[in-house]
Amino acid sequence: ETGVTQTPRHLVMGMTNKKSLKCEQHLGHNAMYWYKQSAKKPLELMFVYNFKEQTENNSVPSRFSPECPNSSHLFLHLHTLQPEDSALYLCASSPRVQRGPYTDTQYFGPGTRLTVL
Amino acid sequence: AQSVTQLDSQVPVFEEAPVELRCNYSSSVSVYLFWYVQYPNQGLQLLLKYLSGSTLVKGINGFEAEFNKSQTSFHLRKPSVHISDTAEYFCAVGTQGGKLIFGQGTELSVKP
């Protein structure tokens, strides 16, 4: 496999369920990102990991819990979600998180379409 | 703080016509600008990026964009579109800490 893969592609869950989204990158990158894409809204950055360390949590509710066991894998653990959490969740990777204003190109996976009932 | 405004939420055009998708940004630091495309049921794919140097940037699939510092714009253009260009297009500005700030997207619909 090449690029950034995400599983599952579609997920339907109840508000009391616990589920996890998985992202894997095959690009040799060291930075990984979770974004939320809701209808008619700009992409919202949720979390950033650089060399397995979380460097950004964009005020995300605690019902979303990220995990980055190594530079190639990123998980998003979900529990007690709300219907408004229904969205497309996109994972991305880049070579690294730069210290200055320069931004590396980010490479995106196909996303997981999440529906919360 | 950086921000991005895409001026048109939807742009319908006929096949083989030219198209321009507009993007304005605000930034107080060095500017790094990107255009991404999202085809139905897919993730985002990089079309082109401006980091420095020539203000005219050429990307994939015949797209190009021009960085205009005085007008704080980074409009995307293609001289002749195809049905396969139907997709959503996102302009983004890079910011501190490797983050991207995205616009709301422009839905390009190419009709035969």
Side-chain angles (χ1 to χ4, degrees):
Chain A
E1 290 231 47
T2 59
V4 181
T5 59
Q6 290 186 243
T7 54
R9 293 294 308 275
H10 300 272
L11 178 63
V12 179
M13 59 187 289
M15 287 167 32
T16 57
N17 291 161
K18 289 185 180 181
K19 297 285 184 184
S20 296
L21 310 185
K22 179 183 176 182
C23 175
E24 183 173 2
Q25 58 93 3
H26 308 268
L27 300 169
H29 291 165
N30 294 296
M32 296 189 79
Y33 311 76
W34 278 118
Y35 287 88
K36 177 183 180 182
Q37 186 178 28
S38 305
K40 307 302 180 186
K41 293 175 69 175
L43 272 78
E44 302 171 56
L45 178 66
M46 301 174 72
F47 301 103
V48 180
Y49 278 82
N50 192 38
F51 292 92
K52 301 190 299 179
E53 298 297 321
Q54 189 180 118
T55 58
E56 182 83 19
N57 177 338
N58 198 21
S59 302
V60 181
S62 59
R63 58 186 183 269
F64 295 90
S65 174
E67 178 189 2
C68 188
N70 54 62
S71 292
S72 298
H73 294 86
L74 184 64
F75 295 89
L76 188 62
H77 303 301
L78 316 171
H79 62 97
T80 60
L81 294 192
Q82 305 297 313
E84 60 263 30
D85 297 322
S86 298
L88 182 67
Y89 288 84
L90 291 164
C91 174
S93 72
S94 71
R96 71 197 62 76
V97 172
Q98 301 287 348
R99 291 187 181 277
Y102 174 74
T103 307
D104 279 328
T105 300
Q106 293 182 18
Y107 296 83
F108 286 79
T112 295
R113 174 71 61 189
L114 174 66
T115 303
V116 182
L117 300 176
Chain B
Q2 285 97 333
S3 67
V4 174
T5 302
Q6 291 184 243
L7 298 160
D8 307 292
S9 59
Q10 294 180 320
V11 174
V13 292
F14 288 105
E15 194 173 18
E16 298 183 8
V19 71
E20 179 180 81
L21 306 183
R22 298 181 292 168
C23 173
N24 284 91
Y25 68 90
S26 69
S27 176
S28 57
V29 296
S30 300
V31 176
Y32 303 99
L33 294 161
F34 303 79
W35 274 101
Y36 282 86
V37 59
Q38 185 177 32
Y39 298 105
N41 301 314
Q42 294 187 31
L44 277 68
Q45 179 183 357
L46 180 70
L47 271 179
L48 49 81
K49 59 185 177 183
Y50 172 79
L51 304 179
S52 65
S54 173
T55 57
L56 184 62
V57 180
K58 293 190 183 297
I60 62 170
N61 301 340
F63 283 93
E64 63 181 31
E66 185 160 17
F67 171 61
N68 188 319
K69 188 174 182 179
S70 62
Q71 297 187 6
T72 61
S73 68
F74 190 55
H75 300 333
L76 181 70
R77 301 185 183 101
K78 186 169 182 178
S80 175
V81 293
H82 303 290
I83 298 286
S84 59
D85 292 322
T86 294
E88 189 147 22
Y89 292 78
F90 293 92
C91 182
V93 62
T95 183
Q96 200 85 13
K99 293 181 284 187
L100 287 175
I101 307 297
F102 285 89
Q104 291 193 297
T106 297
E107 196 176 316
L108 175 64
S109 176
V110 182
K111 303 181 185 307

